[in-house]
Every structure is written in C-alpha cells, then in structure tokens.
Amino acid sequence: MSTAAERRTAVFAALRALLLERPWGDVTLEAVARDAGVSRQTLYNAFGSRYGLAQAYTVHLADALCALIAETLAAHADDPRTGLEEGLRLFLETAAEDPLIDRVRAGDAHHDLVRIVTTDAGPLLVRVAERLEAAARAAWPHREPASLPQLARTLARLALSYVTMPPEYDDSPAAIAAGLSEVLAPG
C-alpha cells in the first residue's frame, strides 16, 4: 500500500470484517495488521494501542455518518425537515449495521469501547457537532445562523445516545427519524 490514507482504509476495513466474525475481546492488533496487509508495528505507530485503533475507527465512522447527513441535507436544501428526516434515517440504519456499534449495544464490548462513546466522548461530540453545523450552514445558508450550533450539538448528542442505547420501543428508523425531524427541523 502506498499512502497512509490507503493503509488506514485497509485497517478499518479489516477491523470491521473481524468484528463481524468475533467479539472485540478476540480481535488482536496482529489479526487486524495481517488482514489489512500492514505490519503490527505500523498499527502501533499509527494508533498506539487497541484502544487507539478503536478511537480512530469511531472517528472514521462518525465522519462517514456526518458526510452522509451532509449529503442528505444538501440534497434537500429547500426542505429542511425532509433533509433532516432522511439524514437521521440514514444515520440510524447505517449505525445499526456497524459491528462495533453492535458490540457496544449488545453489551459485548470491552469497557474501553464503551468509554469511547460515553465518558471519553467529549472530543467526538465536538467533532460531530462541528461537522453537522457546517453541513447545516452549507445546506441552509438563509437560516438563522445563531440557532445552528445548538441544533448541531443536540443532534450530536442524540446520535451518540442512539449509538450507545437503541430506542426502547419498536419503531423503525424511518419512524424515529420522522418524529425527531418534526421536533428539531429548523422552520
């Protein structure tokens, strides 16, 4: 592999594939390195530890989810409620398919993984809120700019709560997204 970005992509893909096969406790850096086609030392240099790898993967996943939401908001720039509803639906569906999130939700996650999205989640929340605010500003340039930071922070916290604990009711992601967007969409 030639670039650092390509190596990171391969590492995250390998980690995801391994998590589909086995619990987090059984995933080793050696297995991730082997499956990604990199050396174990490369992983240590890039991430420092399994916890560092999990943090980086979480940020990577959050960035990908934020990009999906940004695309959806932009595609529905003339209809903020629909944009928000579709973005939330995509987020909920995509998050539910991720094996790391599934491990956290199932209680099959090492306490380090749970910390990333609970007690150590501050930097992740800030990053997600900044990305969502930028997406909202780009999609809705004529909206009241003072309200967008609070909307973005609220969405970031809601998203993280749905990652750590799925809804206690049986509503579909589409129904949940519709309800949330009705309450949160800027008018």
Side-chain angles (χ1 to χ4, degrees), residues 27-166:
V27 174
T28 65
L29 286 180
E30 184 176 347
V32 174
R34 179 193 64 236
D35 291 1
V38 300
S39 72
R40 207 168 86 183
Q41 189 60 47
T42 296
L43 287 185
Y44 280 108
N45 291 344
F47 306 107
S49 64
R50 276 176 21 119
Y51 183 73
L53 174 59
Q55 280 183 307
Y57 178 82
T58 302
V59 168
H60 170 77
L61 178 60
D63 284 346
L65 291 169
C66 286
L68 273 176
I69 293 169
E71 289 172 17
T72 305
L73 293 180
H76 298 283
D78 59 335
D79 186 357
R81 182 172 176 204
T82 299
L84 192 56
E85 181 176 338
E86 286 303 304
L88 288 167
R89 182 189 57 77
L90 273 172
F91 164 77
L92 291 168
E93 290 173 353
T94 304
E97 296 169 357
D98 186 80
L100 190 63
I101 291 172
D102 188 51
R103 298 283 184 214
V104 170
R105 286 180 171 179
D108 181 28
H110 188 274
H111 62 86
D112 281 349
L113 291 180
V114 176
R115 278 186 20 226
I116 292 170
V117 291
T118 57
T119 58
D120 292 350
L124 182 63
L125 279 169
V126 168
R127 182 183 184 101
V128 169
E130 288 173 349
R131 299 272 322 263
L132 293 176
E133 182 181 347
R137 284 185 192 286
W140 309 321
H142 303 299
R143 298 289 170 190
E144 174 58 44
S147 67
L148 295 179
Q150 188 59 46
L151 174 64
R153 288 191 295 269
T154 301
L155 287 172
R157 286 191 174 272
L158 271 172
L160 200 56
S161 76
Y162 279 97
V163 164
T164 58
M165 187 170 37

